[in-house]
Structure formats: structure tokens, C-alpha cells
């Protein structure tokens, strides 16, 4: 079944129901959304785009993201969502690799034509108004037949090593993701609303699917990005809202709440649920978030290859402060979501006993069909139905998965394994530390030396001596950083992940 049917169903049953808001203004009802998507689907079909052809979405968050996305699925096309922060050269590489035919863009993100396309449409142009003019009779535009295993979403991995790979995410994968949300993340009704702060080209945008399943409202901030004051204001006007946020975004929301003196009750009136994931959430940070904003958090762990579906740490687990292993649990990523099995395995894929550290494997209906036109990489990533995630972690006896760092981030110093996250967790409990990232730097004596980049809380003075004293009190001597670099910010990608590769490069450049 095609994902387009989800929209048709609500448009027929409740055409007047508000569907998409741009800022606080209503942009489309369910009837209008479907009529516009059907109108565009007809144009795409008339232009000779066939089911299975690729169209690129390269824009900031915009209400038309949703209209174009569902139009493409209506016409049976495969959407290629592109990170708005990519360099033109990188985007053109994706256009070529995916053999994309059309692109829908916003002019701020793509001011010039991209090479290799048949047509590029600025979604804010009169041409887009014409293409998205509502179909007079949407029942005259049949939804293209798609099998559950056909690709819907061709997501390019960030490709920190080598060229990015196109991850083939099918209609079945996304249906599974949508339904699993209701079981493992949160219940949603038509009265609810989601706000898109994080980029819609990633998991945040995919959460449109469960919200569409429920016939809920979709809110796109006018800024098209994350501005905590704007998000809180939208929450007060249209909420309480749900949203997906990387840990760095959660931190900005919490900072805003604290700085403006908002109470947990104020936070509750603005936000129903904040789903966090995509990067490590440190214990000190989630405890502060719970204290300032109340019990409105749920964690998920997934990756582009099994989008938004891996494990979940529920609101209930996060509230269970009396549990004897509460701290371990909130440092974990929770338990397997309902649609998948999780296993920790050795290099040969053999399951390891509870407590042992190995690679995290995922199996289930959310796992990608494979990498686009890359048999070799597909065969390496999926073996015997299990997705080898490249993440390293361990399971406890209750089924909670704790992630260590990705294998490439592990530091080996003097022959001992040091997991940066453990050191980061400790640094974050030191007064005056806002953010911390730990990496290994080449060291002639130790092989690698632990180096900490630390961002102080605004207005505080941190000293190396104080940081070192704090680490010595909490962790083994060999794990404590050999150097502390106090910096004003950490390099992050568009999705809010700290770029450890950039930190390592910075250190390498300094040592030459
Ligand atoms: P992406 O494919 O860009 O979504 O990145 C997925 C990767 O982000 C995973 O393989 C993990 O390394 C990391 N990640 C995702 N969710 C979490 C989480 N809840 N905690 C820690 N790391 C995470």
C-alpha cells in the first residue's frame, strides 16, 4: 500500500479538519492538502514522470514540503530528501547518483539551478502555485499502485567516510515506523499537533507519517528552523505540540525555559511530547530537562537504515526515579521498539551474552531494503536479515540497550579502551560546563591521548585545573583527559550532531 492513501483517507472523512499551519496561520485543511497534492501528482504524471522515478526535496522546512512529499507518493515517485546545509557539489553528486529528474527547492537553500535535473521548482514561485493548484476532483487522480517493498524515501547517509550511500526506505518501512510510534513513543489523536523545528529531510519530517495516520495538525514555524522562543509561542497558540529534537535542540529549549523563567506547567501548555534521539543524551542534560520542563520526554534510537525505529526509552521509564537502576536506565537508549528485535553481536554476527559489548544489530520491518545500486554495501550491512548498525553497545538483563560510542570514536590509549561518552558524562556534571566532546588525538607515547573540548556556561570561567580535579574524583586516571580545550562552541551538523571528525582534524592540524 502506498503512503499516499493515508492522506486520501483523512481528506475524504474530514476534509474541513485543519491539517497544516505555517506559523500560527492555517495553510491547508486535510481536503486542501489532498487536492493540492493530487493536482501536483497529475502534473508530474503528465510531465512523463513514472512510478519509481526520483524527485529531490532540497529546501528549508516549509508547509509545501508536506504537499510535495505526498504528491510525489501519490504519483508513485521516490522522494530524495536532501539536507539543506549540503554544498551544491554534494547535492549535484546526489542528483547524479539517484538519477533524480525534478527537484523542489526553496531559493534560500538553492539560489541557482542544480546541474543534471530536468526541472527545478522553487516552491515559493508562481510556477509552484500553478503546479499545486488543487485538483478539481481528486478521485479523478488515482494513487499510483505501489507494492509495500517499493522505495518511497531514498535517504543519503551523511557519508563522513567516503561517498554517501542512498538508503532505500520502502512504503512498508515507513508504515511500520508510523504505527510503531503509537505503541512505543506516544499516543496521538486528531486534536494533537506536531511542530517541525529540526530538518524535515530527516527523522523529524518522517514523524509527519504517524501524525497523518492520526489526522493530527502539522505546524511549520515561519523561521523554518529552531528558534526556542518561536516554538514556545507556537505551542501556546496551537499546542501543546509534539516535536522531534536532537539533544542539542532539547538543550536550547531547556535553556530558553530557564532563562525566561518558565515553569514545568508553562512547558506543559506548550509541549505535549518531545522525542529526542539522533545523538547521545547525557544523564546530566536529561535530568535537567526533566526538572525544568517536566515529564514530556521520550527517547528513540534509530538510524537512516532503520528510521526512527530501534529502541525507545519511554516517558514512564524516564519518570521511574525510584528504580534501583534509574541512572543506568536514563543513560541507556531503552528497550527494543515493538516492530524490531535488537541483538548485540561479535564481528561474525554471533549473539553475545548480556552485559558484553559488541555491535548493535536490528531486525524487523523498519529495516531498509538496501543501499541504492550498491550490492556490496547492502550485503555487508544486512546479513541474514540483521542490520549491522555500526553502533557499539551492550544489553542488560532487562533488555535495555546502552550505546557506547561508534567504533570509530573509541579511543585506545596505552592499550586501554576508553569510551568518550563516559568521560563526557563526567565532564557535564562539573559546575560551569555547558557542553563537552571528547576525542582521541595521536600521541607518540600512548598511541592516542584523550582530549576534551569543553564549552563553558555563559558568564563562567572554567579552568583546566578545576576540570581535571573533577575528573580525577570521578573516573579512573587513565581515562581522564590529557588536555582540555575551552571553546565557545562545538562544530555540529545540520541535525545537531557534534562533528567529532572535525574536532580530530582540528587537533591534527595543530600538531603539524
Ligand atoms: P542517522 O543515520 O543520521 O540518523 O544517524 C544515526 C546514528 O545516530 C546512529 O547510528 C547512532 O550512532 C546515533 N544515534 C541515534 N539515536 C541515538 C540515541 N538516542 N543516542 C545516541 N546515539 C544515537
Amino acid at each position: 500500500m502506498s503512503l499516499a492513501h493515508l492522506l486520501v483517507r483523512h481528506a475524504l472523512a474530514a476534509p474541513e479538519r485543519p491539517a497544516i499551519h505555517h506559523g500560527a496561520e492555517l495553510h491547508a485543511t486535510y481536503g486542501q492538502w489532498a487536492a493540492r497534492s493530487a493536482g501536483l501528482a497529475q502534473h508530474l504524471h503528465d510531465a512523463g514522470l513514472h512510478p519509481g522515478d526520483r524527485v529531490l526535496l532540497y529546501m528549508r522546512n516549509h508547509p509545501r514540503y508536506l504537499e510535495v512529499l505526498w504528491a510525489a507518493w501519490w504519483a508513485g515517485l521516490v522522494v530524495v530528501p536532501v539536507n539543506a546545509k549540503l554544498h551544491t557539489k554534494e547535492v549535484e553528486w546526489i542528483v547524479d547518483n539517484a538519477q533524480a529528474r525534478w527537484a523542489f527547492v526553496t531559493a534560500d537553500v538553492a539560489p541557482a539551478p542544480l546541474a543534471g535535473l530536468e526541472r527545478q521548482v522553487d516552491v515559493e514561485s508562481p510556477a509552484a502555485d500553478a503546479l499545486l493548484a488543487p485538483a478539481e476532483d481528486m478521485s479523478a487522480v488515482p494513487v499510483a499502485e505501489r507494492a509495500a517493498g517499493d522505495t518511497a524515501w531514498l535517504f543519503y547517509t551523511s557519508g563522513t567516510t567516503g561517498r554517501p550511500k542512498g538508503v532505500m526506505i520502502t512504503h512498508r518501512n515507513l508504515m511500520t515506523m508510523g504505527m510503531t510510534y503509537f505503541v512505543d513513543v506516544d499516543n496521538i489523536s486528531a486534536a494533537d499537533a506536531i511542530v517541525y523545528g529540526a530538518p524535515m529531510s530527516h527523522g523529524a519530517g518522517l514523524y509527519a507519517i504517524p501524525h497523518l495516520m492520526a489526522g493530527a495538525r502539522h505546524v511549520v514555524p515561519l523561521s523554518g528552523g529552531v528558534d526556542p522562543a518561536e516554538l514556545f509561542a507556537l505551542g501556546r497558540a496551537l499546542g501543546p505540540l509534539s516535536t522531534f529534537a536532537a539533544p542539542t535542540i532539547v538543550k536550547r529549549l531547556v535553556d530558553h525555559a530557564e532563562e525566561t523563567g518558565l515553569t514545568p506547567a508553562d512547558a506543559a501548555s506548550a509541549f505535549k511530547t518531545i522525542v529526542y534521539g539522533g545523538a547521545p543524551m547525557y544523564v546530566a542534560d536529561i535530568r535537567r530537562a526533566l526538572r525544568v520542563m517536566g515529564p514530556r520526554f521520550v527517547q528513540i534510537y534509530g538510524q537512516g537504515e532503520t528510521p526512527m525505529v530501534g529502541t525507545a526509552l519511554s516517558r514512564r521509564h524516564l519518570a521511574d526515579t525510584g528504580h534501583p537502576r534509574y541512572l543506568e536506565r536514563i543513560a541507556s537508549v531503552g528497550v527494543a521498539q515493538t516492530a524490531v528485535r535488537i541483538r548485540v553481536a561479535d564481528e561474525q554476527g554471533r549473539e553475545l551474552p548480556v552485559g558484553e559489548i559488541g555491535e548493535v544489530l536490528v531486525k524487523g520491518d523498519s529495516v531498509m531494503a538496501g543501499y541504492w545500486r550498491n550490492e556490496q554495501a547492502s550485503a555487508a550491512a544486512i546479513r541474514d536479515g540483521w542490520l549491522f548498525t555500526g553502533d557499539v553497545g551492550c544489553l542488560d538483563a532487562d533488555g535495555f540497550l546502552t550505546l557506547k560510542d561508534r567504533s570509530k570514536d573509541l579511543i585506545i590509549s596505552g592499550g586501554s579502551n576508553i569510551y568518550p561518552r563516559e568521560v563526557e558524562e563526567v565532564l557535564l556534571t562539573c559546575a560551569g560546563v555547558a557542553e563537552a566532546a571528547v576525542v582521541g588525538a595521536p600521541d607518540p607515547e600512548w598511541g592516542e591521548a584523550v582530549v576534551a573540548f569543553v564549552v563553558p556556561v555563559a558568564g563562567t570561567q572554567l579552568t583546566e585545573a578545576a576540570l581535571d580535579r573533577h575528573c580525577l574524583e570521578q573516573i579512573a586516571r587513565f581515562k581522564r583527559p590529557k588536555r582540555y580545550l575551552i571553546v565557545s562552541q562545538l562544530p555540529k551538523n545540520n541535525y545537531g550532531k557534534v562533528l567529532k571528525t572535525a574536532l580530530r582534524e582540528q587537533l591534527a592540524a595543530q600538531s603539524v
Side-chain angles (χ1 to χ4, degrees), residues 110-408:
L114 294 161
L117 291 165
E118 282 168 37
R119 186 159 178 198
Q120 178 165 322
V121 181
D122 174 350
V123 295
E124 291 177 315
S125 67
D129 296 342
L131 287 168
L132 282 156
E136 270 175 32
D137 175 11
M138 69 174 201
S139 63
V141 188
V143 170
E145 269 312 315
R146 292 274 81 192
D150 286 336
T151 303
W153 178 259
L154 185 59
F155 169 83
Y156 278 77
T157 57
S158 52
T160 42
T161 49
R163 287 294 195 183
K165 295 187 283 287
V167 178
M168 295 189 289
I169 296 298
T170 66
H171 288 266
R172 178 191 289 118
N173 293 154
L174 294 180
M175 286 283 185
T176 302
M177 183 276 300
M179 291 191 278
T180 306
Y181 187 99
F182 291 80
V183 190
D184 298 301
V185 180
D186 200 15
N187 204 4
I188 323 172
S189 77
D192 288 321
I194 178 169
V195 64
Y196 301 101
M200 294 172 82
S201 55
H202 211 252
L206 288 178
Y207 272 174
I209 293 167
H211 286 81
L212 174 54
M213 285 174 167
R217 288 163 298 140
H218 305 252
V219 182
V220 183
L222 285 175
S223 69
V226 179
D227 170 349
E230 182 185 27
L231 293 177
F232 269 96
L234 283 172
R236 280 188 290 271
L238 301 170
L241 303 170
S242 294
T243 196
F244 174 80
T248 46
I249 300 180
V250 171
K251 204 170 190 140
R252 287 176 57 199
L253 293 173
V254 174
D255 286 345
H256 175 83
E258 238 181 20
E259 282 156 17
T260 54
L262 298 178
T263 63
D266 297 328
S269 64
F271 292 102
K272 176 186 177 226
T273 303
I274 298 175
V275 185
Y276 65 91
M281 171 64 97
Y282 301 102
V283 171
D285 289 338
I286 187 61
R287 296 189 92 179
R288 173 169 164 254
L290 289 164
R291 193 174 61 244
V292 174
M293 291 185 65
R296 56 205 69 274
F297 295 92
V298 179
Q299 180 178 206
I300 61 105
Y301 153 66
Q303 62 174 197
E305 288 82 347
T306 173
M308 311 309 264
V309 185
T311 61
L313 185 69
S314 68
R315 204 187 290 262
R316 185 169 45 81
H317 287 131
L318 283 161
D320 190 10
T321 50
H323 194 280
R325 285 188 305 287
Y326 178 67
L327 289 182
E328 284 101 301
R329 284 192 167 181
I330 64 170
S332 81
V333 291
V335 300
Q337 291 190 36
T338 305
V340 291
R341 287 167 63 200
I342 300 275
R343 171 183 276 189
V344 169
D346 66 11
E347 273 150 29
Q348 281 73 46
R350 284 181 303 234
E351 189 167 10
L352 288 169
V354 161
E356 283 195 28
I357 297 174
E359 184 165 356
V360 178
L361 274 44
V362 182
K363 189 178 210 167
D365 276 349
S366 59
V367 172
M368 67 166 177
Y371 293 113
W372 171 253
R373 296 183 178 167
N374 194 339
E375 295 285 328
Q376 208 185 340
S378 305
I382 304 178
R383 289 176 249 159
D384 198 17
W386 288 95
L387 170 70
F388 284 65
T389 62
D391 289 316
V392 174
C394 62
L395 282 165
D396 72 10
D398 302 341
F400 286 73
L401 177 70
T402 298
L403 290 184
K404 302 290 170 183
D405 297 84
R406 288 185 73 80
S407 39
K408 64 177 173 16

